[in-house]
Amino acid sequence: MKRLVAVVVAVLLLGLGIVLARAVMQTSGARAFPAEVASGAKPPAPDFALPLLTGDGEVTLASLRGQVVVVNFWASWCDPCKDEAPILQDLWITEAQPQGVAFVGIDTQDLSDDARAFAVTYGLTYPLVHDDGGAAGRAWGVGAFPETFVIDPQGRAVAWFPGEVTADGLRDAIATAQASS
C-alpha cells in the first residue's frame, strides 16, 4: 500500500512539474516581443485587426505600413492610463498627426462601455480599438497597463515603454522610428 501511495505522489509531483514548466515557458515566450524591442533588435510588430471602439470598421497594423505608428495598450480602470491619456492626446494633436504619425489605442481586458466613457472623459480623438479576449495583447506580450510601442514605417518595433510614457520619451522614440525609414 505504501508503495502505491509513493507512486501516486510521484506521478502527481511529476505532473505538477510539467504544468509549472509549461506555464513558465508560455509566460516567458509571451514576453519575448517586448524583450526583443528592449534589446534594440527591432522585431516585426505582430499584426492585428481590431474593431473600432466607436463606430463601424476596424484598424489593422498592416494598413498603417509606411507610417510611424504609436501603439498604446490601455484599460479604463488603469490609473497610470488615466495619467497618460492627456499626454498621448496632446502629442497626437500637436505633433504626431501633423507629421503623419499614426496613433492606435488598444483597449483590452476592459468593458467596451467603460472604454468609450474613458475616451470621452479624456477627449481621445486618435483611433481606438477594442481587443475583446486579449489576443492582440498576448501577441504583443503585454503584461501590464499601460504599455506603448513605437513602430517604424517598415513595421518594426523600435521602442517599448512599459508603464506610463513621457512626452519627451515618446518624441525621441518617434524621431528614432522616422530616422530608420
Side-chain angles (χ1 to χ4, degrees):
M1 183 67 168
K2 287 182 181 181
R3 183 178 172 135
L4 178 61
V5 170
V7 169
V8 169
V9 168
V11 169
L12 289 174
L13 288 174
L14 178 63
L16 180 61
I18 291 170
V19 168
L20 288 174
R22 288 188 72 202
V24 167
M25 288 189 305
Q26 288 174 345
T27 301
S28 62
R31 297 296 289 169
F33 178 69
E36 282 186 78
V37 179
S39 76
K42 297 183 182 180
D47 197 14
F48 56 78
L50 296 169
L52 288 165
L53 193 56
T54 57
D56 294 328
E58 69 178 16
V59 174
T60 67
L61 185 60
S63 70
L64 301 172
R65 183 66 56 93
Q67 299 176 68
V68 171
V69 183
V70 174
V71 178
N72 174 253
F73 287 87
W74 62 279
S76 65
W77 47 262
C78 159
D79 287 334
C81 298
K82 295 171 186 175
D83 296 335
E84 178 182 77
I87 295 167
L88 292 170
Q89 178 61 26
D90 183 58
L91 280 172
W92 161 249
I93 292 296
T94 62
E95 299 175 37
Q97 188 179 23
Q99 293 177 25
V101 175
F103 272 41
V104 179
I106 301 179
D107 172 59
T108 188
Q109 296 183 17
D110 202 1
L111 299 172
S112 295
D113 288 342
D114 292 347
R116 283 189 281 275
F118 180 97
V120 169
T121 298
Y122 293 98
L124 303 180
T125 60
Y126 52 88
L128 302 173
V129 295
H130 185 67
D131 182 19
D132 190 29
R138 285 189 299 278
W140 286 64
V142 173
F145 299 110
E147 286 194 32
T148 303
F149 297 86
V150 178
I151 312 305
D152 74 9
Q154 291 77 36
R156 300 172 306 190
V158 299
W160 168 54
F161 298 91
E164 191 176 331
V165 71
T166 65
D168 287 339
L170 193 52
R171 279 186 197 101
D172 290 347
I174 289 169
T176 297
Q178 290 169 326
S180 73
S181 57

